[in-house]
Amino acid sequence: MNDLLVADSVSKHYGKFKALNNVSIAVPKGSIFGLLGPNGAGKTTLIRIINQITMPDQGSVLLDGQPLKPEHIKDIGYLPEERGLYKSMKVGEQALYLAQLKGMSKAEAKTRLKYWFEKLEIGDWWNKKIQELSKGQAQKIQFIVTVLHQPKLLIFDEPFSGFDPINANLIKDEILKLRDEGATVIFSTHRMESVEELCDHIALLHKSNKVLDGRLNDIKRQYKTNTFEVGLQSNNSENVLNDIKASFDVLPATFKNLNDDIKLNIKIDSGTSPNDLLSFLTNKAEVHHFVEVIPSANDIFIQTVKNN
Amino acid sequence: MNHLPLIIKREYLTKVRNKSFIIMTFLSPIIMIALVALVAYLSQLNNDKLRTISVLDETGLLNDVFENTENTNYTMLNELSLEEAKILVKEKEDYGLLYISKVNDLQNFTGNVKFYSQDSPSLGTISSLERKLEKKFSDLKLQSVGVDLEQIRLSKVNIDIAQESFEGEKSSKIDNIMKLAFGGAAGYLLFMFIIIYGNMIMRSVIEEKTSRIIEVIISSVKPIQLMMGKIIGTSLAGVTQFVIWVILGGVLLVVVSAIFGIDLAQVQTPQQEMVNQAIQEEGAQAFAENLITAIGNLPMTNLIIAFMLFFISGYLLYSSLYASIGAAVDNETDTQQFMLPILMPLILAVYVGIFTVIEDPHGTVSTVFSFIPFTSPVVMLMRIPFGVPLWQQGLSLLILIGTFIFAVWFAAKIYRVGILMYGKKPTYKELFKWMKY
């Protein structure tokens, strides 16, 4: 059993509106799984189903091979996008309360809280009220509360919103560390650069359907178009350009480089190897820049959503 | 996992530690007592003022009618014309001038009586004058047709009906007054409790929504657990507050009346008038004895058990509805539209209780309303002191509990969907749709 969480053809209706249509995902153990999709695609609904906040109309969800049941609550840590804390409650008291709701004993929760408070250097906040903290500070508390009970599965919905870059990095490192310690992470966000940085696997939801899923690298491989970005220098650039255009599909390229005369995106057939292209080019001009164009998560996201 | 105790504890502690809650707990009885003391003081002040009423009697028959009392002096004016009298009274700044014009024919006396004054006279003054004149003139009329007044006085009979049930239970008028007092107090207490603490529950649900903590909580506990925890925790805080109010209020009442020497019992309320009347009729000694038997006659065990059961289920019924309103809306201003349907049956219950139970505790109207679940807790609590058959109480309670379970189920549905809905104020139609989610 390599998948910690498996959702099998899950559907959910709200009245006539179909929020999820036959969506299946498998989240491998120890991975960071990006759950992506435009607004209103059904991500939150799926996450709520995993958290047993709502029940699916059809389909089933397995955690560690077992159908979801109330006991699984303590195995899951959830940081919702719409999040907040009781404003007039003290930080320590509140964290203890939320930890106890997750099934921890008071003493255990206290020890672990102390550890985290020191780790994130917020030990002196214990007796402050939430309303005295800034938004970013409150987010830190929220993060701690989410991971405190050492759940097998962590679900973060836009975890970095509200953090400054320094704290966002701090949290990112913590997420990676948790993954290394064996936790599995589901990560939902619109920020594609953090998807690139963090995710091993992704699934893309669009209009209640799953339109794409798999390892991020595999998907990128699927989406690559055998296109190479090249920068050439030549005294006779016009002739060179014409020669290239005669043999390959060519698009203009823009990238930053020092004094290249020709900047191109060149697409080669599947039968042609990059070496063939390179030797073709070296015969014509001086090659200063030769990179395979790998689609970014952002490109894949936009392309998939537009095509559907 | 059962987190109910944990949730109850948090709700209770947050409520009890809340600054405005603490202030309200200790300030309300002080304000209430101060208000009562003020009213008592003011009404005494008002009564203490000595009024002078001048009487211009052209008939010459009324010399013995007007006797000076503590608050009112009467001055008989003689040999003045009406115009002169008016000027005189105005200058003397008397309370007013009572003018009785000359009577030619006593048999056809229609009562040509007028009262002149600077400000409009009080209702009490006028009716007291009217009573005096009516009595005198009817005496005069009787005398003029040859009736001996002394004989009429002697012929008066005073009857006090002793009441006894077929089972041999003795009761008296005081019994009824005590029953009314107990029932009324119980019903009214429930009404106040629902309004004050139902609102508090609603606000605390809204607070969870606006602070956006709800989704964090709801991923750990079932919505119905959270809702019940809230209701119970808030109610316990409410009970705490109520107990403090009663104790503090009682102590303050004693202290204030001792210090300021204001006899608070003198503040006239309709109930007290009834009591006073009863005292006058029976004498203080008999009254005290009857009072004790009256309390003893109340079906105490039944009363206490029924009070607990009806109070708790009635309160839970309404508070679960309050909780679902809180879940359905985003902020307090949006609650108005949904509050009305809750408040209507509650207010109806109190009015039905006040007007029909007093009149006829076992009449059709009060009986029917003591079965309808939304009015039954209040109306039944008012009826029980008058002795309601156990099967009726049981049936009513059964209906109430059934409705309560249904209401909790309904509220939990709305709650479950509503707490995760933000933005728009839902319509009734949408609420209905949520039931199916």
Side-chain angles (χ1 to χ4, degrees), chain A residues 84-101 106 113 117 125-133 137-138 141 145, chain B residues 5-19 204 207-208 211 213 216-217 226 230:
Chain A
L85 296 161
Y86 289 114
K87 287 197 175 60
S88 52
M89 241 179 138
K90 283 177 183 163
V91 171
E93 221 168 66
Q94 176 148 220
L96 277 180
Y97 172 65
L98 293 172
Q100 280 173 282
L101 284 187
K106 199 171 178 179
L113 272 174
F117 272 48
W125 292 0
W126 189 271
N127 276 323
K128 278 193 184 178
K129 283 187 178 173
I130 293 294
Q131 58 200 7
E132 297 166 37
L133 302 181
Q137 290 171 326
I141 309 290
V145 168
Chain B
L6 196 63
I7 299 168
I8 293 174
K9 192 177 139 204
R10 193 206 83 88
E11 292 295 332
Y12 180 79
L13 287 179
T14 334
K15 294 283 161 342
V16 171
R17 282 190 205 150
N18 184 294
K19 276 203 193 80
S204 108
E207 189 218 332
E208 261 168 14
S211 71
I213 195 174
V216 178
I217 302 273
L226 181 62
K230 248 180 198 319

Side-chain angles (χ1 to χ4, degrees), chain A residues 10-37:
Chain A
V10 171
S11 297
K12 177 78 189 171
H13 299 254
Y14 288 114
K16 278 181 191 156
F17 175 71
K18 202 159 205 179
L20 282 178
N21 183 21
N22 248 342
V23 171
S24 304
I25 59 166
V27 182
K29 257 182 200 152
S31 69
I32 296 185
F33 188 95
L35 188 61
L36 315 177

Side-chain angles (χ1 to χ4, degrees), chain B residues 190-250:
Chain B
L190 174 59
F191 173 73
M192 290 304 291
F193 214 81
I194 288 174
I195 291 204
I196 298 176
Y197 300 107
N199 251 309
M200 201 180 266
I201 291 170
M202 190 179 75
R203 277 202 305 275
S204 108
V205 177
I206 294 176
E207 189 218 332
E208 261 168 14
K209 273 188 87 173
T210 45
S211 71
R212 299 285 195 263
I213 195 174
I214 192 70
E215 201 164 345
V216 178
I217 302 273
I218 225 68
S219 66
S220 311
V221 298
K222 286 222 162 71
I224 188 156
Q225 253 182 37
L226 181 62
M227 188 177 90
M228 288 314 290
K230 248 180 198 319
I231 291 174
I232 297 170
T234 310
S235 316
L236 290 179
V239 170
T240 312
Q241 193 173 48
F242 239 89
V243 169
I244 295 178
W245 276 349
V246 169
I247 295 173
L248 208 60

Side-chain angles (χ1 to χ4, degrees), chain B residues 322-370:
Chain B
Y322 269 104
S324 60
I325 293 181
V329 300
D330 268 359
N331 54 61
E332 238 179 303
T333 35
D334 287 348
T335 57
Q336 304 299 340
Q337 157 194 22
F338 300 110
M339 293 281 280
L340 196 64
I342 290 195
L343 284 178
M344 291 257 281
L346 202 56
I347 292 168
L348 185 69
V350 170
Y351 279 111
V352 167
I354 290 174
F355 289 115
T356 67
V357 174
I358 288 178
E359 197 59 41
D360 183 5
H362 304 305
T364 318
V365 179
S366 14
T367 309
V368 167
F369 274 97
S370 64

Side-chain angles (χ1 to χ4, degrees), chain A residues 206-218:
Chain A
H206 182 48
K207 289 186 181 161
S208 319
N209 289 289
K210 186 185 73 180
V211 289
L212 187 70
D213 76 334
R215 294 178 66 84
L216 185 58
N217 285 341
D218 293 346

